[in-house]
Amino acid sequence: METTQIQASRAINQAVEKAMQLDVNANISILDSFGHLKSFLRMDNAYLGSIDVAMGKAKTAMLFRMNSEAVGEFLNPENKTYGLVNTSGGLVGFKGGMPIKSQGSIVGYIGVSGGSPDQDFEIASAGSNI
Amino acid sequence: METTQIQASRAINQAVEKAMQLDVNANISILDSFGHLKSFLRMDNAYLGSIDVAMGKAKTAMLFRMNSEAVGEFLNPENKTYGLVNTSGGLVGFKGGMPIKSQGSIVGYIGVSGGSPDQDFEIASAGSNI
Amino acid sequence: METTQIQASRAINQAVEKAMQLDVNANISILDSFGHLKSFLRMDNAYLGSIDVAMGKAKTAMLFRMNSEAVGEFLNPENKTYGLVNTSGGLVGFKGGMPIKSQGSIVGYIGVSGGSPDQDFEIASAGSNI
Amino acid sequence: METTQIQASRAINQAVEKAMQLDVNANISILDSFGHLKSFLRMDNAYLGSIDVAMGKAKTAMLFRMNSEAVGEFLNPENKTYGLVNTSGGLVGFKGGMPIKSQGSIVGYIGVSGGSPDQDFEIASAGSNI
């Protein structure tokens, strides 16, 4: 599904609001349902290294239509899924990426990086229901 | 050996039939004996992230002329084969990739992704004997 | 839009039929509307170098929702669009890539390579109306 | 210089307003003075292929601290600057990328793609003075 500008803007604004509450400087990436970049914001003082982490979490969630940390379970070395983490240009399998839903349907994906995984999860969650 | 169109078609059809029996939406990649893409099919609703995984499993099987999970044994960190997983553009060392044989000879390679490793193995196996 | 297996199969079969009429060994790539690989076939004796050309033509058509040769007009050095040809991982701007339509709507993209540009165009056209 | 969130938001909003006046569906990329992505917006129905073009124009402007079409003059084959177009991961040397200035100082770079080069230039210009 094509994420609309209005949906992307709403998702980013909701995520920023939560990030400010948590005092986190976040990178927030919004992909449409098929993985093309729709919108992006790097909050002031957010880590530069987190730009690509935010992108990677959103991409990972999109590729498997589930939260990035759920994909991460398949990447656990105990599962011996050698090399899986490097597929599709590199997966990022921890908290902060998830589907964006509107009225129950997936309309895109959000990826957040800048705080702890739990904070990133909370920020992404705030932007994931629009 | 050059996989023929007829062989590739047979391998994919047999794999799809098994995937439908298992209720798995699979990506199926067929390479010729030298690793060049011969045919590919993404079944409806298959994960987009599994496209590259299917390709990677077939490539990995081709590069070492054995099942992808057999290559995976060499990738186990206990073997201290540092960096091996990243060679040849990235190996994928778990179940789902294997040689395709016709009358006992290798005529190509199949890689499957979309279900569990065991399901992918079963689907690939169904397409590996043509 | 998600290209279905049935649509992809119809597009490839129609393209193969035309390729056989023209005595061309073609590579045929089918992408969904957002650029993810849906299906691929390399006909027997088709050039290996044409695998990526077919993929590139389909991708180029998808990225700009028009025929690959129409994108090619923007790539003409006379237009001084320096570097445009290298964007999105490389565009391929000559005949052989185009939208696939079903009942007037775009349902995916086809890219063909193996013959002359005019032959590739004819083969892709045969698969573009399903 | 670090582009601020407020500056990036102002640049994008001014560019979007102009794009709507021109009836262009644009991709708008904002980089800080050092080339790191600060913000991005893909307007509804904008070409997917223009995502990377917008990114490339902004990067090109940033790398040489001048408009992308000014860099393009160095890329003209008449200058025999062989290979220059491929440096830094690929330059994009036509209209649509330029510095963003605030009170006469460069505070970042904007890249726009989606319309004709002249339209992209006009849209980028609207976002370049904040």
Side-chain angles (χ1 to χ4, degrees):
Chain A
M1 208 164 185
E2 176 78 39
T3 315
T4 66
Q5 239 173 289
I6 286 171
Q7 289 170 329
S9 165
R10 204 177 291 153
I12 286 194
N13 289 340
Q14 293 176 190
V16 166
E17 195 177 349
K18 175 61 70 181
M20 289 174 73
Q21 282 172 23
L22 298 174
D23 203 23
V24 169
N25 305 313
N27 287 274
I28 303 159
S29 176
I30 309 291
L31 304 182
D32 66 27
S33 302
F34 298 96
H36 296 285
L37 188 62
K38 182 65 186 179
S39 191
F40 176 84
L41 179 66
R42 170 159 53 96
M43 291 174 68
D44 295 342
N45 297 312
Y47 293 121
L48 296 177
S50 290
I51 298 171
D52 199 43
V53 180
M55 298 270 195
K57 287 176 178 175
K59 183 184 78 171
T60 299
M62 180 278 300
L63 286 167
F64 294 98
R65 300 192 295 263
M66 59 181 77
N67 281 19
S68 49
E69 74 274 18
V71 177
E73 290 183 24
F74 297 108
L75 305 178
N76 189 320
E78 288 174 6
N79 292 325
K80 306 193 174 185
T81 50
Y82 306 121
L84 179 57
V85 71
N86 298 326
T87 57
S88 297
L91 305 178
V92 179
F94 59 100
K95 283 184 176 175
M98 62 182 67
I100 299 171
K101 292 190 179 174
S102 177
Q103 301 179 318
S105 296
I106 295 180
V107 296
Y109 292 86
I110 186 169
V112 171
S113 181
S116 69
D118 282 342
Q119 288 173 324
D120 292 346
F121 176 86
E122 209 175 330
I123 295 164
S125 297
S128 71
N129 199 333
I130 61 173
Chain B
M1 208 165 184
E2 175 79 37
T3 315
T4 66
Q5 239 173 287
I6 286 171
Q7 288 170 328
S9 164
R10 204 176 291 153
I12 285 193
N13 289 340
Q14 292 176 191
V16 166
E17 195 178 349
K18 175 59 72 180
M20 289 175 73
Q21 282 172 22
L22 298 174
D23 203 24
V24 169
N25 306 313
N27 287 274
I28 303 159
S29 176
I30 309 292
L31 305 181
D32 65 25
S33 303
F34 302 98
H36 297 284
L37 189 62
K38 181 66 185 179
S39 190
F40 176 85
L41 179 66
R42 170 158 54 97
M43 291 174 68
D44 295 341
N45 297 313
Y47 293 122
L48 296 177
S50 289
I51 298 171
D52 199 47
V53 180
M55 298 271 195
K57 286 175 178 175
K59 183 183 77 171
T60 299
M62 179 278 301
L63 286 166
F64 295 98
R65 300 192 296 268
M66 60 180 77
N67 281 20
S68 48
E69 75 274 18
V71 177
E73 291 183 25
F74 298 107
L75 304 178
N76 189 318
E78 289 173 6
N79 291 325
K80 306 192 176 185
T81 50
Y82 306 122
L84 180 58
V85 70
N86 299 324
T87 57
S88 298
L91 304 178
V92 179
F94 59 101
K95 283 182 176 175
M98 62 183 66
I100 299 172
K101 292 188 178 175
S102 178
Q103 301 179 318
S105 297
I106 294 180
V107 296
Y109 292 87
I110 185 169
V112 171
S113 180
S116 69
D118 283 342
Q119 289 173 323
D120 293 346
F121 176 86
E122 209 174 330
I123 295 164
S125 297
S128 70
N129 199 333
I130 60 173
Chain C
M1 209 164 186
E2 176 77 39
T3 316
T4 66
Q5 241 173 286
I6 287 171
Q7 289 170 330
S9 166
R10 203 176 292 153
I12 286 192
N13 289 341
Q14 293 176 189
V16 166
E17 196 178 348
K18 174 61 70 180
M20 290 173 72
Q21 282 172 23
L22 298 175
D23 203 23
V24 169
N25 306 314
N27 287 274
I28 304 160
S29 176
I30 309 291
L31 305 182
D32 66 26
S33 302
F34 299 97
H36 297 285
L37 188 62
K38 181 67 186 177
S39 191
F40 176 84
L41 180 66
R42 170 158 55 97
M43 291 174 69
D44 294 342
N45 297 313
Y47 294 121
L48 296 177
S50 291
I51 298 172
D52 200 43
V53 180
M55 298 269 195
K57 287 176 178 175
K59 183 184 79 172
T60 298
M62 181 279 300
L63 286 168
F64 295 97
R65 301 193 293 266
M66 60 181 78
N67 281 20
S68 49
E69 75 273 18
V71 177
E73 291 183 24
F74 297 108
L75 304 179
N76 189 319
E78 288 175 6
N79 291 324
K80 306 193 173 184
T81 50
Y82 304 121
L84 180 57
V85 71
N86 298 326
T87 57
S88 297
L91 305 178
V92 180
F94 59 100
K95 283 181 176 177
M98 62 182 66
I100 299 172
K101 292 189 178 175
S102 178
Q103 301 178 320
S105 296
I106 294 179
V107 296
Y109 292 87
I110 186 169
V112 172
S113 180
S116 70
D118 281 342
Q119 288 173 323
D120 292 345
F121 175 86
E122 209 174 331
I123 295 164
S125 297
S128 71
N129 199 334
I130 61 174
Chain D
M1 207 162 185
E2 173 80 39
T3 315
T4 67
Q5 239 173 287
I6 287 172
Q7 288 170 329
S9 166
R10 204 177 290 153
I12 286 194
N13 288 341
Q14 292 176 189
V16 167
E17 196 178 347
K18 175 60 71 179
M20 289 174 73
Q21 282 173 23
L22 298 175
D23 204 24
V24 170
N25 306 314
N27 287 275
I28 304 160
S29 177
I30 309 292
L31 304 181
D32 65 25
S33 303
F34 302 98
H36 297 285
L37 187 63
K38 180 65 185 180
S39 191
F40 176 84
L41 179 66
R42 170 159 53 98
M43 292 173 68
D44 294 342
N45 298 312
Y47 293 122
L48 296 176
S50 290
I51 298 171
D52 199 46
V53 180
M55 298 270 194
K57 287 175 177 175
K59 182 183 79 171
T60 299
M62 180 277 302
L63 286 166
F64 296 98
R65 300 193 296 268
M66 59 180 78
N67 281 19
S68 50
E69 74 274 17
V71 177
E73 291 183 24
F74 298 106
L75 304 178
N76 189 317
E78 290 174 6
N79 291 324
K80 307 194 175 184
T81 50
Y82 306 122
L84 179 57
V85 70
N86 298 325
T87 57
S88 298
L91 304 178
V92 179
F94 58 100
K95 283 182 177 177
M98 61 183 67
I100 299 172
K101 292 189 178 174
S102 178
Q103 301 179 320
S105 296
I106 294 180
V107 295
Y109 292 87
I110 186 169
V112 171
S113 181
S116 69
D118 283 342
Q119 288 173 324
D120 293 345
F121 176 86
E122 208 175 331
I123 295 164
S125 297
S128 71
N129 198 334
I130 61 174

